[in-house]
Amino acid sequence: QPPFDPNNGHYIIDGTIFLEGQVYANILEAGMPVHLWMGSSFATDLEKRDLRNCNIWKTTALLAKVVKKRPSTDSKEKKVTCHVSYLRTPTDEDETLETDVPSSRIRLVVGSDPLIPGTLEEAHLALMGGRHEIDVSKKPDPEKDKIDDNTGLTGWSTTTIRKTSHHYEQVQERKRQRQHEKELAEYKEKKEKEIQARKMEEAKYANAHDSALGAYDVWSSANAAGGIEGKTRAYKGVDITKETKLSITDTAKSLSKGMGSVAFKKKKIKKKGNARKRSAD
């Protein structure tokens, strides 16, 4: 990218300083009130700056800034577009949304909002990352470079001056606040998921007595779900995990319990009159 030129990217009309979006795209931020060019897309910068065309600019709200790498280029230059919303006419109730608006159609008014730099110098600093270091070091001075016998140090001298702005500090504070809110929301979401998982686990055991598969402790455990502490359950079955000797008689008694004794009727055999006898021989 070409070096920053503080004389380009802004102009003054009737004492109001305007910042051109294609130059100050890096400082655009969601929530800023911006001016949107509603005229021809082929208009030149001079036409946009013309006082007679001020009514072609419309005040809009910047919803989001989209940064994309320029296609078919090997440079690191990025393309900045914006999503904006505005009322097309004063009688409109619903806002009009425009997406992927090029930064060349946008301008900022210096000092018009807390999100926008209040002075041109702050705008320059914001465009350079919020800080600017000026090298003021001079040629070596034998007197200052002379080592003091008492301290073992040389004299003091100013080498660089770091300039920053109140607007930059506010931007950094907003970034920290947004990051904190994001982390807090993620933490709350994580805790909510843990609580829901714990509730589901507790409900699974609390309602275990309603299940016919795994809720009933067949081995008469006092700690089974739904059991009464200190009392065991009476399971009327056979524990196949234990080796027991059970006779057929005992099994028959268990099955016939409460049904009375089991009796078998003898079958009567009728004698036939033409039966052959040995005495007949």
PDB file of all heavy atoms in Angstrom, residues 242-276:
ATOM      1  N   LYS A 242     -25.526 -67.451  40.675  1.00  0.00           N
ATOM      2  CA  LYS A 242     -25.132 -68.297  41.800  1.00  0.00           C
ATOM      3  C   LYS A 242     -25.406 -69.749  41.482  1.00  0.00           C
ATOM      4  O   LYS A 242     -26.360 -70.084  40.774  1.00  0.00           O
ATOM      5  CB  LYS A 242     -25.898 -67.884  43.065  1.00  0.00           C
ATOM      6  CG  LYS A 242     -25.599 -66.464  43.529  1.00  0.00           C
ATOM      7  CD  LYS A 242     -26.378 -66.131  44.787  1.00  0.00           C
ATOM      8  CE  LYS A 242     -26.095 -64.736  45.247  1.00  0.00           C
ATOM      9  NZ  LYS A 242     -26.858 -64.392  46.474  1.00  0.00           N
ATOM     10  N   GLU A 243     -24.562 -70.606  42.007  1.00  0.00           N
ATOM     11  CA  GLU A 243     -24.755 -72.046  41.815  1.00  0.00           C
ATOM     12  C   GLU A 243     -25.699 -72.574  42.902  1.00  0.00           C
ATOM     13  O   GLU A 243     -25.379 -72.567  44.077  1.00  0.00           O
ATOM     14  CB  GLU A 243     -23.414 -72.776  41.895  1.00  0.00           C
ATOM     15  CG  GLU A 243     -22.456 -72.402  40.758  1.00  0.00           C
ATOM     16  CD  GLU A 243     -21.163 -73.197  40.846  1.00  0.00           C
ATOM     17  OE1 GLU A 243     -21.045 -74.009  41.791  1.00  0.00           O
ATOM     18  OE2 GLU A 243     -20.283 -72.998  39.992  1.00  0.00           O
ATOM     19  N   THR A 244     -26.857 -72.971  42.506  1.00  0.00           N
ATOM     20  CA  THR A 244     -27.849 -73.495  43.448  1.00  0.00           C
ATOM     21  C   THR A 244     -28.341 -74.844  42.956  1.00  0.00           C
ATOM     22  O   THR A 244     -28.358 -75.119  41.756  1.00  0.00           O
ATOM     23  CB  THR A 244     -29.045 -72.541  43.562  1.00  0.00           C
ATOM     24  OG1 THR A 244     -29.609 -72.333  42.270  1.00  0.00           O
ATOM     25  CG2 THR A 244     -28.623 -71.182  44.118  1.00  0.00           C
ATOM     26  N   LYS A 245     -28.728 -75.656  43.936  1.00  0.00           N
ATOM     27  CA  LYS A 245     -29.287 -76.978  43.640  1.00  0.00           C
ATOM     28  C   LYS A 245     -30.787 -76.910  43.872  1.00  0.00           C
ATOM     29  O   LYS A 245     -31.237 -76.746  45.007  1.00  0.00           O
ATOM     30  CB  LYS A 245     -28.651 -78.043  44.528  1.00  0.00           C
ATOM     31  CG  LYS A 245     -27.155 -78.234  44.253  1.00  0.00           C
ATOM     32  CD  LYS A 245     -26.567 -79.311  45.147  1.00  0.00           C
ATOM     33  CE  LYS A 245     -25.083 -79.506  44.866  1.00  0.00           C
ATOM     34  NZ  LYS A 245     -24.498 -80.570  45.739  1.00  0.00           N
ATOM     35  N   LEU A 246     -31.520 -77.030  42.811  1.00  0.00           N
ATOM     36  CA  LEU A 246     -32.964 -76.927  42.885  1.00  0.00           C
ATOM     37  C   LEU A 246     -33.564 -78.143  42.208  1.00  0.00           C
ATOM     38  O   LEU A 246     -33.292 -78.419  41.039  1.00  0.00           O
ATOM     39  CB  LEU A 246     -33.439 -75.650  42.189  1.00  0.00           C
ATOM     40  CG  LEU A 246     -34.914 -75.286  42.350  1.00  0.00           C
ATOM     41  CD1 LEU A 246     -35.223 -74.987  43.818  1.00  0.00           C
ATOM     42  CD2 LEU A 246     -35.274 -74.086  41.491  1.00  0.00           C
ATOM     43  N   SER A 247     -34.367 -78.863  42.999  1.00  0.00           N
ATOM     44  CA  SER A 247     -34.974 -80.084  42.458  1.00  0.00           C
ATOM     45  C   SER A 247     -36.222 -79.757  41.660  1.00  0.00           C
ATOM     46  O   SER A 247     -36.779 -78.664  41.761  1.00  0.00           O
ATOM     47  CB  SER A 247     -35.331 -81.038  43.600  1.00  0.00           C
ATOM     48  OG  SER A 247     -36.317 -80.440  44.431  1.00  0.00           O
ATOM     49  N   ILE A 248     -36.654 -80.715  40.856  1.00  0.00           N
ATOM     50  CA  ILE A 248     -37.863 -80.535  40.053  1.00  0.00           C
ATOM     51  C   ILE A 248     -39.087 -80.388  40.936  1.00  0.00           C
ATOM     52  O   ILE A 248     -40.022 -79.651  40.644  1.00  0.00           O
ATOM     53  CB  ILE A 248     -38.039 -81.726  39.092  1.00  0.00           C
ATOM     54  CG1 ILE A 248     -36.838 -81.768  38.126  1.00  0.00           C
ATOM     55  CG2 ILE A 248     -39.326 -81.628  38.311  1.00  0.00           C
ATOM     56  CD1 ILE A 248     -36.863 -82.947  37.200  1.00  0.00           C
ATOM     57  N   THR A 249     -39.053 -81.090  42.056  1.00  0.00           N
ATOM     58  CA  THR A 249     -40.182 -81.018  42.992  1.00  0.00           C
ATOM     59  C   THR A 249     -40.351 -79.616  43.539  1.00  0.00           C
ATOM     60  O   THR A 249     -41.462 -79.086  43.635  1.00  0.00           O
ATOM     61  CB  THR A 249     -39.980 -82.014  44.151  1.00  0.00           C
ATOM     62  OG1 THR A 249     -39.763 -83.300  43.604  1.00  0.00           O
ATOM     63  CG2 THR A 249     -41.190 -82.030  45.062  1.00  0.00           C
ATOM     64  N   ASP A 250     -39.207 -78.991  43.915  1.00  0.00           N
ATOM     65  CA  ASP A 250     -39.283 -77.628  44.444  1.00  0.00           C
ATOM     66  C   ASP A 250     -39.796 -76.653  43.394  1.00  0.00           C
ATOM     67  O   ASP A 250     -40.569 -75.740  43.694  1.00  0.00           O
ATOM     68  CB  ASP A 250     -37.907 -77.176  44.931  1.00  0.00           C
ATOM     69  CG  ASP A 250     -37.432 -77.995  46.123  1.00  0.00           C
ATOM     70  OD1 ASP A 250     -38.297 -78.519  46.834  1.00  0.00           O
ATOM     71  OD2 ASP A 250     -36.204 -78.079  46.328  1.00  0.00           O
ATOM     72  N   THR A 251     -39.397 -76.862  42.164  1.00  0.00           N
ATOM     73  CA  THR A 251     -39.876 -75.979  41.095  1.00  0.00           C
ATOM     74  C   THR A 251     -41.371 -76.133  40.893  1.00  0.00           C
ATOM     75  O   THR A 251     -42.115 -75.167  40.700  1.00  0.00           O
ATOM     76  CB  THR A 251     -39.151 -76.301  39.785  1.00  0.00           C
ATOM     77  OG1 THR A 251     -37.746 -76.178  39.994  1.00  0.00           O
ATOM     78  CG2 THR A 251     -39.576 -75.339  38.686  1.00  0.00           C
ATOM     79  N   ALA A 252     -41.863 -77.398  40.955  1.00  0.00           N
ATOM     80  CA  ALA A 252     -43.292 -77.662  40.789  1.00  0.00           C
ATOM     81  C   ALA A 252     -44.100 -77.044  41.919  1.00  0.00           C
ATOM     82  O   ALA A 252     -45.171 -76.486  41.710  1.00  0.00           O
ATOM     83  CB  ALA A 252     -43.533 -79.168  40.713  1.00  0.00           C
ATOM     84  N   LYS A 253     -43.534 -77.113  43.118  1.00  0.00           N
ATOM     85  CA  LYS A 253     -44.222 -76.510  44.258  1.00  0.00           C
ATOM     86  C   LYS A 253     -44.308 -74.999  44.095  1.00  0.00           C
ATOM     87  O   LYS A 253     -45.314 -74.383  44.419  1.00  0.00           O
ATOM     88  CB  LYS A 253     -43.510 -76.869  45.560  1.00  0.00           C
ATOM     89  CG  LYS A 253     -43.661 -78.322  45.962  1.00  0.00           C
ATOM     90  CD  LYS A 253     -42.929 -78.586  47.262  1.00  0.00           C
ATOM     91  CE  LYS A 253     -43.086 -80.059  47.694  1.00  0.00           C
ATOM     92  NZ  LYS A 253     -42.372 -80.322  48.952  1.00  0.00           N
ATOM     93  N   SER A 254     -43.221 -74.381  43.584  1.00  0.00           N
ATOM     94  CA  SER A 254     -43.226 -72.939  43.406  1.00  0.00           C
ATOM     95  C   SER A 254     -44.244 -72.502  42.362  1.00  0.00           C
ATOM     96  O   SER A 254     -44.940 -71.512  42.523  1.00  0.00           O
ATOM     97  CB  SER A 254     -41.839 -72.450  42.994  1.00  0.00           C
ATOM     98  OG  SER A 254     -41.853 -71.077  42.744  1.00  0.00           O
ATOM     99  N   LEU A 255     -44.382 -73.314  41.317  1.00  0.00           N
ATOM    100  CA  LEU A 255     -45.320 -72.940  40.254  1.00  0.00           C
ATOM    101  C   LEU A 255     -46.765 -73.145  40.663  1.00  0.00           C
ATOM    102  O   LEU A 255     -47.662 -72.448  40.219  1.00  0.00           O
ATOM    103  CB  LEU A 255     -45.021 -73.758  38.984  1.00  0.00           C
ATOM    104  CG  LEU A 255     -43.680 -73.462  38.310  1.00  0.00           C
ATOM    105  CD1 LEU A 255     -43.444 -74.448  37.176  1.00  0.00           C
ATOM    106  CD2 LEU A 255     -43.651 -72.031  37.808  1.00  0.00           C
ATOM    107  N   SER A 256     -46.994 -74.172  41.518  1.00  0.00           N
ATOM    108  CA  SER A 256     -48.377 -74.495  41.899  1.00  0.00           C
ATOM    109  C   SER A 256     -48.815 -73.803  43.175  1.00  0.00           C
ATOM    110  O   SER A 256     -49.895 -74.070  43.686  1.00  0.00           O
ATOM    111  CB  SER A 256     -48.513 -76.018  42.072  1.00  0.00           C
ATOM    112  OG  SER A 256     -47.662 -76.464  43.119  1.00  0.00           O
ATOM    113  N   LYS A 257     -47.951 -72.915  43.708  1.00  0.00           N
ATOM    114  CA  LYS A 257     -48.287 -72.250  44.964  1.00  0.00           C
ATOM    115  C   LYS A 257     -49.524 -71.390  44.782  1.00  0.00           C
ATOM    116  O   LYS A 257     -49.602 -70.594  43.867  1.00  0.00           O
ATOM    117  CB  LYS A 257     -47.116 -71.399  45.419  1.00  0.00           C
ATOM    118  CG  LYS A 257     -47.339 -70.769  46.791  1.00  0.00           C
ATOM    119  CD  LYS A 257     -46.113 -69.994  47.215  1.00  0.00           C
ATOM    120  CE  LYS A 257     -46.330 -69.372  48.597  1.00  0.00           C
ATOM    121  NZ  LYS A 257     -45.178 -68.594  49.041  1.00  0.00           N
ATOM    122  N   GLY A 258     -50.513 -71.614  45.680  1.00  0.00           N
ATOM    123  CA  GLY A 258     -51.738 -70.840  45.626  1.00  0.00           C
ATOM    124  C   GLY A 258     -52.764 -71.398  44.684  1.00  0.00           C
ATOM    125  O   GLY A 258     -53.855 -70.884  44.592  1.00  0.00           O
ATOM    126  N   MET A 259     -52.445 -72.463  43.957  1.00  0.00           N
ATOM    127  CA  MET A 259     -53.381 -73.035  43.006  1.00  0.00           C
ATOM    128  C   MET A 259     -53.930 -74.373  43.473  1.00  0.00           C
ATOM    129  O   MET A 259     -54.633 -75.055  42.751  1.00  0.00           O
ATOM    130  CB  MET A 259     -52.684 -73.224  41.638  1.00  0.00           C
ATOM    131  CG  MET A 259     -52.153 -71.935  41.032  1.00  0.00           C
ATOM    132  SD  MET A 259     -53.461 -70.782  40.653  1.00  0.00           S
ATOM    133  CE  MET A 259     -54.294 -71.700  39.364  1.00  0.00           C
ATOM    134  N   GLY A 260     -53.584 -74.812  44.721  1.00  0.00           N
ATOM    135  CA  GLY A 260     -54.033 -76.103  45.241  1.00  0.00           C
ATOM    136  C   GLY A 260     -53.117 -77.229  44.788  1.00  0.00           C
ATOM    137  O   GLY A 260     -52.179 -77.022  44.017  1.00  0.00           O
ATOM    138  N   SER A 261     -53.394 -78.417  45.275  1.00  0.00           N
ATOM    139  CA  SER A 261     -52.557 -79.569  44.925  1.00  0.00           C
ATOM    140  C   SER A 261     -52.880 -80.049  43.521  1.00  0.00           C
ATOM    141  O   SER A 261     -53.984 -79.902  43.025  1.00  0.00           O
ATOM    142  CB  SER A 261     -52.805 -80.717  45.920  1.00  0.00           C
ATOM    143  OG  SER A 261     -54.173 -81.082  45.885  1.00  0.00           O
ATOM    144  N   VAL A 262     -51.887 -80.610  42.911  1.00  0.00           N
ATOM    145  CA  VAL A 262     -52.022 -81.115  41.553  1.00  0.00           C
ATOM    146  C   VAL A 262     -52.391 -82.586  41.613  1.00  0.00           C
ATOM    147  O   VAL A 262     -51.695 -83.389  42.240  1.00  0.00           O
ATOM    148  CB  VAL A 262     -50.725 -80.932  40.761  1.00  0.00           C
ATOM    149  CG1 VAL A 262     -50.879 -81.477  39.355  1.00  0.00           C
ATOM    150  CG2 VAL A 262     -50.363 -79.449  40.725  1.00  0.00           C
ATOM    151  N   ALA A 263     -53.510 -82.987  41.018  1.00  0.00           N
ATOM    152  CA  ALA A 263     -53.960 -84.394  41.023  1.00  0.00           C
ATOM    153  C   ALA A 263     -54.063 -84.885  39.599  1.00  0.00           C
ATOM    154  O   ALA A 263     -54.449 -84.132  38.688  1.00  0.00           O
ATOM    155  CB  ALA A 263     -55.312 -84.500  41.721  1.00  0.00           C
ATOM    156  N   PHE A 264     -53.704 -86.174  39.384  1.00  0.00           N
ATOM    157  CA  PHE A 264     -53.762 -86.788  38.058  1.00  0.00           C
ATOM    158  C   PHE A 264     -54.847 -87.866  38.068  1.00  0.00           C
ATOM    159  O   PHE A 264     -54.905 -88.700  38.957  1.00  0.00           O
ATOM    160  CB  PHE A 264     -52.407 -87.412  37.697  1.00  0.00           C
ATOM    161  CG  PHE A 264     -51.298 -86.402  37.617  1.00  0.00           C
ATOM    162  CD1 PHE A 264     -50.495 -86.136  38.721  1.00  0.00           C
ATOM    163  CD2 PHE A 264     -51.079 -85.702  36.437  1.00  0.00           C
ATOM    164  CE1 PHE A 264     -49.484 -85.217  38.642  1.00  0.00           C
ATOM    165  CE2 PHE A 264     -50.057 -84.786  36.359  1.00  0.00           C
ATOM    166  CZ  PHE A 264     -49.266 -84.538  37.462  1.00  0.00           C
ATOM    167  N   LYS A 265     -55.755 -87.856  37.126  1.00  0.00           N
ATOM    168  CA  LYS A 265     -56.817 -88.852  37.010  1.00  0.00           C
ATOM    169  C   LYS A 265     -56.311 -90.085  36.274  1.00  0.00           C
ATOM    170  O   LYS A 265     -55.602 -89.957  35.288  1.00  0.00           O
ATOM    171  CB  LYS A 265     -58.016 -88.260  36.268  1.00  0.00           C
ATOM    172  CG  LYS A 265     -58.712 -87.134  37.015  1.00  0.00           C
ATOM    173  CD  LYS A 265     -59.907 -86.628  36.218  1.00  0.00           C
ATOM    174  CE  LYS A 265     -60.607 -85.515  36.965  1.00  0.00           C
ATOM    175  NZ  LYS A 265     -61.786 -85.011  36.213  1.00  0.00           N
ATOM    176  N   LYS A 266     -56.715 -91.238  36.799  1.00  0.00           N
ATOM    177  CA  LYS A 266     -56.327 -92.494  36.151  1.00  0.00           C
ATOM    178  C   LYS A 266     -57.282 -92.798  35.011  1.00  0.00           C
ATOM    179  O   LYS A 266     -58.475 -92.604  35.127  1.00  0.00           O
ATOM    180  CB  LYS A 266     -56.351 -93.641  37.163  1.00  0.00           C
ATOM    181  CG  LYS A 266     -55.309 -93.490  38.258  1.00  0.00           C
ATOM    182  CD  LYS A 266     -55.336 -94.669  39.194  1.00  0.00           C
ATOM    183  CE  LYS A 266     -54.292 -94.564  40.276  1.00  0.00           C
ATOM    184  NZ  LYS A 266     -54.324 -95.737  41.190  1.00  0.00           N
ATOM    185  N   LYS A 267     -56.744 -93.261  33.950  1.00  0.00           N
ATOM    186  CA  LYS A 267     -57.543 -93.597  32.786  1.00  0.00           C
ATOM    187  C   LYS A 267     -58.151 -94.989  32.930  1.00  0.00           C
ATOM    188  O   LYS A 267     -57.443 -95.939  33.263  1.00  0.00           O
ATOM    189  CB  LYS A 267     -56.665 -93.555  31.538  1.00  0.00           C
ATOM    190  CG  LYS A 267     -57.448 -93.761  30.263  1.00  0.00           C
ATOM    191  CD  LYS A 267     -56.534 -93.630  29.060  1.00  0.00           C
ATOM    192  CE  LYS A 267     -57.308 -93.841  27.775  1.00  0.00           C
ATOM    193  NZ  LYS A 267     -56.436 -93.744  26.591  1.00  0.00           N
ATOM    194  N   LYS A 268     -59.489 -95.087  32.738  1.00  0.00           N
ATOM    195  CA  LYS A 268     -60.183 -96.386  32.854  1.00  0.00           C
ATOM    196  C   LYS A 268     -60.161 -97.093  31.523  1.00  0.00           C
ATOM    197  O   LYS A 268     -60.463 -96.522  30.477  1.00  0.00           O
ATOM    198  CB  LYS A 268     -61.628 -96.165  33.295  1.00  0.00           C
ATOM    199  CG  LYS A 268     -61.748 -95.569  34.702  1.00  0.00           C
ATOM    200  CD  LYS A 268     -63.203 -95.403  35.071  1.00  0.00           C
ATOM    201  CE  LYS A 268     -63.356 -94.836  36.478  1.00  0.00           C
ATOM    202  NZ  LYS A 268     -64.777 -94.673  36.860  1.00  0.00           N
ATOM    203  N   ILE A 269     -59.835 -98.400  31.561  1.00  0.00           N
ATOM    204  CA  ILE A 269     -59.768 -99.239  30.351  1.00  0.00           C
ATOM    205  C   ILE A 269     -60.964-100.176  30.334  1.00  0.00           C
ATOM    206  O   ILE A 269     -61.189-100.960  31.256  1.00  0.00           O
ATOM    207  CB  ILE A 269     -58.464-100.061  30.310  1.00  0.00           C
ATOM    208  CG1 ILE A 269     -57.254 -99.076  30.353  1.00  0.00           C
ATOM    209  CG2 ILE A 269     -58.418-100.924  29.055  1.00  0.00           C
ATOM    210  CD1 ILE A 269     -55.931 -99.809  30.430  1.00  0.00           C
ATOM    211  N   LYS A 270     -61.794-100.056  29.334  1.00  0.00           N
ATOM    212  CA  LYS A 270     -62.971-100.924  29.206  1.00  0.00           C
ATOM    213  C   LYS A 270     -62.601-102.275  28.608  1.00  0.00           C
ATOM    214  O   LYS A 270     -61.784-102.352  27.705  1.00  0.00           O
ATOM    215  CB  LYS A 270     -64.021-100.246  28.325  1.00  0.00           C
ATOM    216  CG  LYS A 270     -64.578 -98.941  28.908  1.00  0.00           C
ATOM    217  CD  LYS A 270     -65.627 -98.362  27.982  1.00  0.00           C
ATOM    218  CE  LYS A 270     -66.204 -97.084  28.555  1.00  0.00           C
ATOM    219  NZ  LYS A 270     -67.229 -96.500  27.674  1.00  0.00           N
ATOM    220  N   LYS A 271     -63.222-103.320  29.183  1.00  0.00           N
ATOM    221  CA  LYS A 271     -62.989-104.683  28.674  1.00  0.00           C
ATOM    222  C   LYS A 271     -63.936-104.972  27.519  1.00  0.00           C
ATOM    223  O   LYS A 271     -65.122-104.697  27.577  1.00  0.00           O
ATOM    224  CB  LYS A 271     -63.220-105.709  29.791  1.00  0.00           C
ATOM    225  CG  LYS A 271     -62.219-105.582  30.922  1.00  0.00           C
ATOM    226  CD  LYS A 271     -62.465-106.655  31.960  1.00  0.00           C
ATOM    227  CE  LYS A 271     -61.463-106.580  33.089  1.00  0.00           C
ATOM    228  NZ  LYS A 271     -61.693-107.643  34.112  1.00  0.00           N
ATOM    229  N   LYS A 272     -63.396-105.556  26.464  1.00  0.00           N
ATOM    230  CA  LYS A 272     -64.184-105.909  25.310  1.00  0.00           C
ATOM    231  C   LYS A 272     -64.637-107.376  25.428  1.00  0.00           C
ATOM    232  O   LYS A 272     -63.874-108.239  25.852  1.00  0.00           O
ATOM    233  CB  LYS A 272     -63.393-105.712  24.042  1.00  0.00           C
ATOM    234  CG  LYS A 272     -63.055-104.229  23.797  1.00  0.00           C
ATOM    235  CD  LYS A 272     -62.332-104.078  22.487  1.00  0.00           C
ATOM    236  CE  LYS A 272     -62.018-102.625  22.229  1.00  0.00           C
ATOM    237  NZ  LYS A 272     -61.299-102.451  20.981  1.00  0.00           N
ATOM    238  N   GLY A 273     -65.873-107.638  25.000  1.00  0.00           N
ATOM    239  CA  GLY A 273     -66.447-108.985  25.138  1.00  0.00           C
ATOM    240  C   GLY A 273     -65.802-110.035  24.209  1.00  0.00           C
ATOM    241  O   GLY A 273     -65.820-111.204  24.506  1.00  0.00           O
ATOM    242  N   ASN A 274     -65.288-109.704  23.122  1.00  0.00           N
ATOM    243  CA  ASN A 274     -64.710-110.663  22.174  1.00  0.00           C
ATOM    244  C   ASN A 274     -63.221-110.834  22.366  1.00  0.00           C
ATOM    245  O   ASN A 274     -62.511-111.253  21.451  1.00  0.00           O
ATOM    246  CB  ASN A 274     -65.011-110.223  20.750  1.00  0.00           C
ATOM    247  CG  ASN A 274     -64.436-108.827  20.481  1.00  0.00           C
ATOM    248  OD1 ASN A 274     -63.999-108.176  21.397  1.00  0.00           O
ATOM    249  ND2 ASN A 274     -64.471-108.429  19.222  1.00  0.00           N
ATOM    250  N   ALA A 275     -62.778-110.552  23.538  1.00  0.00           N
ATOM    251  CA  ALA A 275     -61.359-110.715  23.766  1.00  0.00           C
ATOM    252  C   ALA A 275     -61.021-112.184  23.795  1.00  0.00           C
ATOM    253  O   ALA A 275     -61.729-113.007  24.389  1.00  0.00           O
ATOM    254  CB  ALA A 275     -60.984-110.044  25.089  1.00  0.00           C
ATOM    255  N   ARG A 276     -59.948-112.611  23.184  1.00  0.00           N
ATOM    256  CA  ARG A 276     -59.547-113.998  23.125  1.00  0.00           C
ATOM    257  C   ARG A 276     -58.879-114.425  24.421  1.00  0.00           C
ATOM    258  O   ARG A 276     -58.074-113.692  24.967  1.00  0.00           O
ATOM    259  CB  ARG A 276     -58.550-114.176  21.950  1.00  0.00           C
ATOM    260  CG  ARG A 276     -58.134-115.647  21.765  1.00  0.00           C
ATOM    261  CD  ARG A 276     -57.196-115.725  20.587  1.00  0.00           C
ATOM    262  NE  ARG A 276     -56.751-117.095  20.415  1.00  0.00           N
ATOM    263  CZ  ARG A 276     -57.437-118.047  19.730  1.00  0.00           C
ATOM    264  NH1 ARG A 276     -58.594-117.726  19.171  1.00  0.00           N
ATOM    265  NH2 ARG A 276     -56.961-119.293  19.594  1.00  0.00           N
TER     266      ARG A 276
END
